[in-house]
Amino acid sequence: MIVDCAIYRDGERTEGPEDLSDALGEARTAGGFVWIGLHEPTEDEFDHVTREFGLHPLAVEDALKAHQRPKLEVYDDSLFVVLKPVAYEPQSDTVSSGEIMIFLGEGFVVTVRHGEGAPLKAVRQRLEHEPELLGKGPTAVLYAVADATVDHYLDVATELQTDLEGLEAEVFSPDGGGSRNTASRIYDFKRQVLEFRRATGPLAPPMSRLAGTASTGVTVPFVDDRARPFFRDVSDHLTRVNESVENLDRLVSDILSAHLAQMSVRQNDDMRKISAWAAMAAIPTMLAGIYGMNFEHMPELRWVWSYPALIALMAVLEIMVFRLFKRRGWL
């Protein structure tokens, strides 16, 4: 459905006519642009927008089906940008992502949002309170949406880092590392970091192109050259985010390896203790087994103190073996 539709002239908002073609013509005549915001439109709802603005069918298909990677596509009459805003739920330790598709052309901006995260109302209000920035045209909308998305990446990265520090403290605590759920929690956290990376990693090349720092050196059409320093700022923030994601992924892998190593060490300690106790149990078992063989001619059978002597011998041997294992750290 259409969430908002307005015409902007010289950084000021005016309500546009209901007919989209009239709105586009009025915006171009006045030297402004029209901004249409949609949320999960149906094919029929988006068909009218497609016809009026001449959007490329491949881009329209991507916008309707969603589930796209962040990217930038240049068509004859428009620019198509896909962003993936993310949200983090600390209670459930889950990262969820939505999608924002932006069509940018001469005198128009169409934003298509999928998912409940990252509503664009706050971005629109921010731009309307900055008429100088909004006066740069449709490029200002693209910058503001990208800037808000990447800034939220920084917040999510900080929250993930905080939770990772808690998980790390639990793993290296005297008791916490042995919990049955620790390994599954670490693996689940790694999956959340991977989901975060899917949103941030592929966005780096499009931001470099918009900032004019890509190795190709090709200028992106429909983007005001005066806005390139703004996109460089967004690209710098995104670089910080991607570095944080790399660090998080590496730390999670290290924590998982450390946890598995701790579990292996504990299992070895347990096996040594079991082996030590089994060796101690073997001594009286052996002696009792020898004297339980019912032979007539055996030493000390008719000696009055043979039974206490045998028990004393067992006790002495047990103490010697116990002290030996204790000195070697097996018990």
Side-chain angles (χ1 to χ4, degrees):
M1 63 177 180
I2 296 180
V3 178
D4 200 351
C5 176
I7 294 176
Y8 295 90
R9 303 188 187 94
D10 299 323
E12 299 294 333
R13 174 185 176 123
T14 60
E15 297 301 326
E18 294 184 0
D19 187 85
L20 297 182
S21 59
D22 293 342
L24 180 59
E26 183 178 335
R28 286 176 174 172
T29 302
F33 69 94
V34 59
W35 179 2
I36 298 175
L38 302 100
H39 180 234
E40 297 184 353
T42 64
E43 186 173 351
D44 293 337
E45 291 172 339
F46 202 54
D47 185 59
H48 183 49
V49 178
T50 302
R51 291 196 310 270
E52 295 298 337
F53 293 98
L55 305 180
H56 197 279
L58 292 177
V60 170
E61 181 181 359
D62 289 344
L64 289 173
K65 291 185 177 180
H67 303 294
Q68 303 296 316
R69 299 174 76 249
K71 63 180 180 179
L72 185 153
E73 298 285 350
V74 179
Y75 297 101
D76 293 336
D77 299 321
S78 63
L79 188 70
F80 180 60
V81 180
V82 178
L83 304 173
K84 290 183 75 68
V86 298
Y88 182 60
E89 294 294 337
Q91 291 78 13
S92 57
D93 295 336
T94 56
V95 174
S96 59
S97 61
E99 290 185 42
I100 298 177
M101 284 80 168
I102 304 173
F103 294 89
L104 196 74
E106 183 182 352
F108 72 89
V109 178
V110 178
T111 54
V112 182
R113 183 167 59 90
H114 290 270
E116 297 301 324
L120 298 179
K121 182 178 180 180
V123 176
R124 191 184 287 262
Q125 290 176 345
R126 171 200 166 190
L127 282 173
E128 291 175 356
H129 285 85
E130 298 182 29
E132 183 178 353
L133 177 60
L134 192 57
K136 298 184 183 296
T139 304
V141 178
L142 176 59
Y143 158 71
V145 176
D147 184 54
T149 301
V150 173
D151 282 349
H152 192 60
Y153 287 165
L154 290 170
D155 296 336
V156 172
T158 301
E159 293 176 352
L160 284 171
Q161 181 66 43
T162 301
D163 285 357
L164 181 60
E165 290 173 358
L167 186 59
E168 184 179 20
E170 178 183 335
V171 168
F172 290 103
S173 65
D175 301 324
S179 173
R180 290 183 177 180
N181 297 326
T182 302
S184 62
R185 285 189 58 200
I186 296 173
Y187 184 73
D188 288 341
F189 194 93
K190 189 174 180 65
R191 292 192 63 177
Q192 304 313 313
V193 173
L194 179 61
E195 180 68 22
F196 191 25
R197 173 183 279 179
R198 289 196 187 104
T200 64
L203 186 58
M207 284 297 108
S208 297
R209 291 178 62 187
L210 291 170
T213 58
S215 58
T216 58
V218 179
T219 302
V220 179
F222 308 108
V223 175
D224 193 332
D225 290 338
R226 297 172 298 174
R228 300 200 184 280
F230 295 93
F231 286 110
R232 281 200 293 271
D233 181 66
V234 176
S235 183
D236 289 341
H237 290 178
L238 183 61
T239 300
R240 287 172 51 196
V241 171
N242 284 326
E243 289 175 352
S244 297
V245 173
E246 290 293 335
N247 291 334
L248 285 170
D249 186 61
R250 185 165 54 252
L251 283 173
V252 173
S253 298
D254 291 344
I255 290 173
L256 181 58
S257 299
H259 172 68
L260 295 177
Q262 282 183 329
M263 296 297 294
S264 178
V265 169
R266 287 192 178 96
Q267 289 176 352
N268 288 337
D269 288 341
D270 293 341
M271 289 302 298
R272 286 194 301 179
K273 291 179 181 179
I274 293 172
S275 300
W277 286 112
M280 293 173 64
I283 294 174
T285 302
M286 178 188 66
L287 294 177
I290 291 174
Y291 279 90
M293 289 191 295
N294 296 327
F295 289 107
E296 181 177 354
H297 300 287
M298 293 185 68
E300 294 90 22
L301 281 180
R302 301 188 181 279
W303 184 33
V304 176
W305 297 99
S306 60
Y307 184 76
L310 184 61
I311 297 299
L313 177 62
M314 290 182 184
V316 170
L317 293 176
E318 289 289 334
I319 292 173
M320 291 176 60
V321 173
F322 179 82
R323 293 186 63 182
L324 176 63
F325 287 150
K326 192 73 173 178
R327 189 181 304 116
R328 294 187 177 182
W330 284 39
L331 290 173

